Amino acid sequence: MRVRVTESFNTAKGNIPKDAIIEIPETMLDRLKGKVEPLHIVADAILRQTVIDIDYGGVWKSTPDVKALEDEINRLYRLLMDGLTTLTAFRETVDQWKTAGTKITKH
């Protein structure tokens, strides 16, 4: 299971720094509770917060560019779970999607 380290910790092989993305057996998740969080939960939280931001501050407009970014988000999500891309790349694409599809309104 891929996880993001939320609090650095030591192992027999050395220190694992905060924000590192590592692979652990699922059986270790309980032992490392509070020090790691499953990567899919982090990615889902990024998407959830973005949708909240969109709902609060803008009007959504779907365009071919927005659809292409949605497809890219789905692709990067799968790659992230397989360890083939970074959380930063995923977050940047979600931010691009938000910008591309949101028309800012004033409250």
Side-chain angles (χ1 to χ4, degrees), residues 1 3 24-34 36-38:
M1 161 184 283
V3 297
I24 65 169
E26 260 188 74
T27 55
M28 286 187 64
L29 191 58
D30 282 341
R31 246 180 39 201
L32 294 173
K33 191 171 187 160
V36 300
E37 59 186 339

Side-chain angles (χ1 to χ4, degrees), residues 59 69 84 95:
V59 175
L69 285 165
L84 300 173
D95 288 344

Side-chain angles (χ1 to χ4, degrees), residues 59-67 70 97 100-102:
V59 175
W60 189 252
K61 180 171 176 149
S62 188
T63 65
D65 289 341
V66 168
K67 176 64 174 130
E70 289 170 354
W97 170 71
T102 304

